[in-house]
Amino acid sequence: MKKLRSAIIGCGGIAQVHAKVLSELETSEFVACADIRFERAEKMANTYNLKAYSSMEELLEKEEIDVVHLCTPHYLHTPMAEYAAKKGIKVFTEKPPVISYEQWAKWDEITKLTKVGICFQNRYNKTTKYIKELISAPEAGKILGCRAFVTWTRGEKYYTESGWRGSLETEGGGALINQTIHTLDLMLQFLGRPTAVEAMCKNHHLKGIIEVEDAIEAYFKCGDAVGIFYATTAYCTDSPVILEVMCENLCVKMDGTHITVNYKNGDRYEIDMKEAAAEGKSYWGSGHKGAIGDFYDSIVEGKEPPINMANIKNTVDTMLAIYKSARETGETVEI
């Protein structure tokens, strides 16, 4: 079986999940890592018997690499992907791929140069697949709406000790772009493409410490269906994500891994869809192995990556429109 020579750029928390997957993946030969905090790269290199470097540029100059994994701060995803693409190297990037319209405009050219995969691992959740199948069945009827609530907690140290979080220039935003873009992505997997959005954001509990929002709410229309989205990182704990899809003939509600289905005729049932244990923090889920494995399979087989820039366009366009409405116009923004 062909093995792709792999490297990780950025050796922080989420990179540990990528590293474990790459070390076990039959289609990957995990050979190098890089971090500007060289001690972090050294630690990963010692764990997995890799070459450690202090920059992406040095790594790509000295190593023959097929795929780079971008586990760096948000603002670096686009320029690093562009740098790798110009060298013909495949890119698997953590979310979000962009933090601005200016960065988003660069991706048409990047994807002409190389194959790109994006880590929206929650598309692999059992609950996601179950809900998608349920609401796609003819007996569900037309989708009328979807609502989602994410109430998590992030304190002062989460931002101040990172060196980049909490800054609009480097993080690009807060509760939406960092913590809850996955939930927005799932909503849009169910609803489709919004035509317009109106939103508000606020920093409630870390005034003077961060520039980004700790709470955001959005209202959008997808044809005749309504989307209601609320997210905060100012709660006291990381509560399970709540997501509900209302159809003409049934309503399905997800509360963490618990699914409740209520039919218009009065029938009702509940199931708990336990996931495999997450490699990292529980709210990262257990979909990284599937997402990364499928990306590598697509490269080996000469196919388009299953989660690519084309099929995340809806999510990125909506995210940027939410921020434009919340930060700039205060009005409805067309998508």
Side-chain angles (χ1 to χ4, degrees):
M1 179 178 291
K2 181 179 178 181
K3 288 182 178 287
L4 300 170
R5 289 174 60 83
S6 311
I8 289 177
I9 314 300
C11 301
I14 194 61
Q16 310 310 313
V17 178
H18 287 245
K20 189 171 190 309
V21 173
L22 289 179
S23 70
E24 298 172 351
L25 200 63
E26 290 184 358
T27 47
S28 165
E29 182 184 358
F30 187 22
V31 296
C33 62
D35 198 297
I36 58 172
R37 299 183 187 179
F38 186 63
E39 67 277 6
R40 298 204 304 189
E42 278 190 314
K43 184 177 180 180
M44 180 175 285
N46 291 335
T47 300
Y48 293 101
N49 192 27
L50 315 172
K51 295 284 186 65
Y53 296 93
S54 59
S55 72
M56 177 181 182
E57 293 79 5
E58 182 188 14
L59 187 156
L60 295 184
E61 180 184 336
K62 295 182 178 179
E63 299 285 343
E64 291 291 330
I65 298 297
D66 296 307
V67 182
V68 291
H69 288 240
L70 302 182
C71 300
T72 49
H74 298 173
Y75 74 107
L76 293 173
H77 292 167
T78 293
M80 284 185 163
E82 186 176 34
Y83 185 87
K86 288 179 178 178
K87 293 181 175 293
I89 297 167
K90 280 73 173 175
V91 174
F92 189 85
T93 181
E94 266 294 333
K95 56 75 185 170
V98 307
I99 65 169
S100 66
Y101 283 107
E102 291 73 21
Q103 287 193 346
W104 194 213
K106 295 177 180 289
W107 279 92
D108 280 345
E109 185 61 30
I110 293 171
T111 53
K112 289 176 183 176
L113 296 172
T114 194
K115 297 291 188 183
V116 177
I118 304 90
C119 199
F120 278 108
Q121 76 277 359
N122 285 358
R123 293 188 184 186
Y124 285 79
N125 290 353
K126 292 178 183 178
T127 49
T128 304
K129 295 177 180 179
Y130 188 85
I131 293 171
K132 186 69 174 176
E133 182 177 358
L134 189 68
I135 66 175
S136 298
E139 54 267 28
K142 186 170 67 174
I143 296 174
L144 304 177
C146 181
R147 62 187 179 117
F149 299 91
V150 186
T151 53
W152 286 355
T153 181
R154 297 294 183 274
E156 181 176 345
K157 288 184 179 180
Y158 173 80
Y159 296 96
T160 58
E161 293 180 357
S162 72
W164 63 276
R165 296 191 193 100
S167 163
L168 284 172
E169 184 178 0
T170 51
E171 190 178 17
L176 174 60
I177 199 171
N178 196 337
Q179 283 75 41
T180 61
I181 188 173
H182 288 294
T183 304
L184 177 66
D185 180 64
L186 295 187
M187 283 188 73
L188 300 179
Q189 291 291 298
F190 304 142
L191 276 179
R193 185 171 177 84
T195 52
V197 64
E198 186 173 296
M200 295 185 294
C201 65
K202 189 75 176 177
N203 175 12
H204 291 295
H205 82 305
L206 293 174
K207 293 179 176 66
I209 297 169
I210 62 175
E211 301 175 333
V212 301
E213 81 282 355
D214 69 6
I216 193 156
E217 67 89 13
Y219 167 83
F220 46 86
K221 292 296 292 290
C222 297
D224 294 329
V226 175
I228 301 293
F229 178 87
Y230 176 79
T232 182
T233 51
Y235 195 47
C236 58
T237 189
D238 292 322
S239 294
V241 173
I242 296 172
L243 191 152
E244 179 185 85
V245 184
M246 180 70 71
C247 300
E248 287 180 305
N249 300 318
L250 65 83
C251 176
V252 55
K253 181 180 179 181
M254 178 194 83
D255 188 341
T257 61
H258 194 82
I259 296 282
T260 303
V261 182
N262 287 287
Y263 286 89
K264 189 175 181 180
N265 66 7
D267 291 344
R268 180 181 187 277
Y269 67 88
E270 299 182 32
I271 52 174
D272 201 286
M273 311 191 78
K274 294 292 187 184
E275 298 280 354
E279 295 292 351
K281 297 173 182 176
S282 60
Y283 45 78
W284 289 345
S286 57
H288 284 86
K289 185 174 182 179
I292 295 170
D294 281 358
F295 175 72
Y296 276 70
D297 287 345
S298 72
I299 300 304
V300 170
E301 296 167 7
K303 298 177 181 179
E304 188 63 27
I307 304 180
N308 54 54
M309 297 309 292
N311 63 37
I312 70 155
K313 184 180 188 311
N314 189 13
T315 299
V316 174
D317 285 346
T318 304
M319 177 193 77
L320 293 174
I322 288 172
Y323 275 134
K324 185 174 182 179
S325 175
R327 293 172 181 165
E328 299 175 26
T329 70
E331 304 291 339
T332 299
V333 172
E334 293 185 359
I335 300 175

